[in-house]
Amino acid sequence: MVTCMTHSPDETAALAALVGQKVHEGTVLCLEGDLGAGKTLFVQSLARTLGVEGEVTSPTFNLMNIYEGICPIYHFDLYRLESEAELDEIGFYEYTDEPEGIVVIEWADKFPEALPEDYVRIRLERLADEEDGRLCSISCVGGEHEKFMKELAESVHSSH
């Protein structure tokens, strides 16, 4: 697990950029955290790092956005979904079961049983004593992303 504190939106964005430099096609990134924790900011920086030039917004109402960069990025927001059955209706499993490009899921913890066997979990938590401070925890579920985690850990520790 990689854990670090960020003290500003710029630092959180820089962490996302590091993830963007190390992530590879076929990865599912699952973002967790309360409203306002920085999930969308994280995705925006990640997408910029991966060459996306257009606007990157949270797909709260249309549930999925596709961004073209170095590779396609499929950005889901599960916040408004009420049941796991709705995932089928939006084609969720078509993107997560055998991902092409990179899949990013905000509010992934809402339906943990629906997640693939292998994914990278990114948890953003507000620090109680610091308005813009975040505790960022990144871990892998399953064994597929251990190399990514090792490379990320080396980058995070050398930049902090």
Side-chain angles (χ1 to χ4, degrees), residues 62-64 76 78 80-95 111 114:
N62 48 339
L63 306 175
M64 182 183 78
F76 287 91
L78 307 184
R80 294 184 63 234
L81 296 184
E82 297 294 324
S83 72
E84 193 173 321
E86 291 175 281
L87 295 173
D88 266 332
E89 295 171 20
I90 64 170
F92 180 80
Y93 300 105
E94 295 170 28
Y95 294 96
F111 303 106

Side-chain angles (χ1 to χ4, degrees), residues 20 22 24-25 28 33-34 46 52-53 61 82 85 87 92 104 106 109 112 114 116 121 129 136 138 140 156 160:
K22 303 298 178 191
H24 57 83
E25 287 187 58
V28 175
D34 293 334
L46 175 88
V52 174
E53 294 181 8
F61 293 100
E82 297 294 324
L87 295 173
F92 180 80
V104 182
E106 291 190 50
D109 49 334
R121 179 179 180 251
D129 58 344
C136 306
I138 304 172
C140 65
V156 167
H160 279 74

Side-chain angles (χ1 to χ4, degrees), residues 138-150:
I138 304 172
S139 58
C140 65
V141 174
E144 188 174 316
H145 303 294
E146 290 176 8
K147 181 180 178 196
F148 163 79
M149 288 301 302
K150 183 178 181 201

Side-chain angles (χ1 to χ4, degrees), residues 15 50 118 126:
L15 176 62
L50 293 169
D118 291 284
R126 295 174 190 232

Side-chain angles (χ1 to χ4, degrees), residues 94-141:
E94 295 170 28
Y95 294 96
T96 59
D97 285 349
E98 297 206 20
E100 295 180 16
I102 295 169
V103 178
V104 182
I105 307 166
E106 291 190 50
W107 298 96
D109 49 334
K110 194 165 181 183
F111 303 106
E113 310 80 31
L115 299 177
E117 286 183 32
D118 291 284
Y119 62 91
V120 175
R121 179 179 180 251
I122 301 169
R123 175 109 185 119
L124 302 170
E125 298 175 67
R126 295 174 190 232
L127 297 177
D129 58 344
E130 198 176 326
E131 183 178 337
D132 289 332
R134 300 293 184 266
L135 175 63
C136 306
S137 306
I138 304 172
S139 58
C140 65
V141 174

